[in-house]
Each structure stands twice: as C-alpha cells, then as structure tokens.
Amino acid sequence: MNRYLRFLGLAAAAAGVTALVGWWPSQVLGGGAAVAAMLAGCGISWMASAFGGIPIAMGAGGSGAVPLHSAFAAMALRLLSAVALGTAVAVTGAFERTPLLLWIAISYLTLLTVDTHFALGSTRK
C-alpha cells in the first residue's frame, strides 16, 4: 500500500510537471479555455494511471503468472479508464475538445513512464 501511495504521488508530480510545461503553449495558442482543457486532460490521465496501478499493487509479490496477469490487467484498465473518462468529459462540452484530447494523449504518454517504473519495481520485489 505504501508503494502504491508513493506511485500516486510520483504520478501526480509527473502530471503537474506536464501541466507546467504545457501551460505557456496552451495559453498562447488557445487562451484560458485551452489551459482549463489541459488541466482536465492531465487530471484524466492521472486518474487513469491511478486506476491502472491498482492491479499492480494487488498483484505485487505474487509468483508465477500473477505479475504478468497484473501487468496486462493494469494496461487494459489504464487504457479503458482514459478512454472512458476522456469520452465522458469530452461529450459534456465543458472543455474545448481538441486541447482536452491532445493533453490527455500527451499526459498519458508522460505518465506511462511512471506506470512502467511502478510495474517493474513491483515485479522485482
């Protein structure tokens, strides 16, 4: 559980850094509405990472095929969560659709490194 909470913190930090890096281009290219969409996109990717980390955290320390099954479950859950949350938020019209979807994709890829590190670290223990 401690490891999962640390993972959530690292993922939040990575999402925050991604948002900081993207703040200026979003502001210049799309204004305040694009910045809001960027923040929502980074939040959606963070939530998808949090959901995807659950199978890894629950399967950590297992032997045999358990870590492999946990990794596949984590990948599927993370992708499905990002698609479902992104679609749900996009259809509401609360945020500009193009920057929202763009920043979901960018932050998803950024957080993939944190997720991979968490998964590899969990299988080694």
Side-chain angles (χ1 to χ4, degrees), residues 18 45 78 103-114 116:
T18 301
S45 291
R78 182 174 192 261
W103 282 104
I104 289 172
I106 291 169
S107 58
Y108 185 95
L109 292 174
T110 302
L111 289 171
L112 186 59
T113 58
V114 177
T116 302

Side-chain angles (χ1 to χ4, degrees), residues 80-97:
L80 290 173
S81 297
V83 170
L85 292 169
T87 301
V89 171
V91 299
T92 65
F95 300 100
E96 287 189 29
R97 190 169 290 148

Side-chain angles (χ1 to χ4, degrees), residues 31-99:
V35 171
M38 175 202 61
L39 293 173
C42 289
I44 288 168
S45 291
W46 179 82
M47 288 173 53
S49 287
F51 291 140
I54 292 171
I56 297 293
M58 293 179 70
S63 60
V66 171
L68 184 61
H69 291 296
S70 296
F72 285 135
M75 287 188 306
L77 186 57
R78 182 174 192 261
L79 180 60
L80 290 173
S81 297
V83 170
L85 292 169
T87 301
V89 171
V91 299
T92 65
F95 300 100
E96 287 189 29
R97 190 169 290 148
T98 301

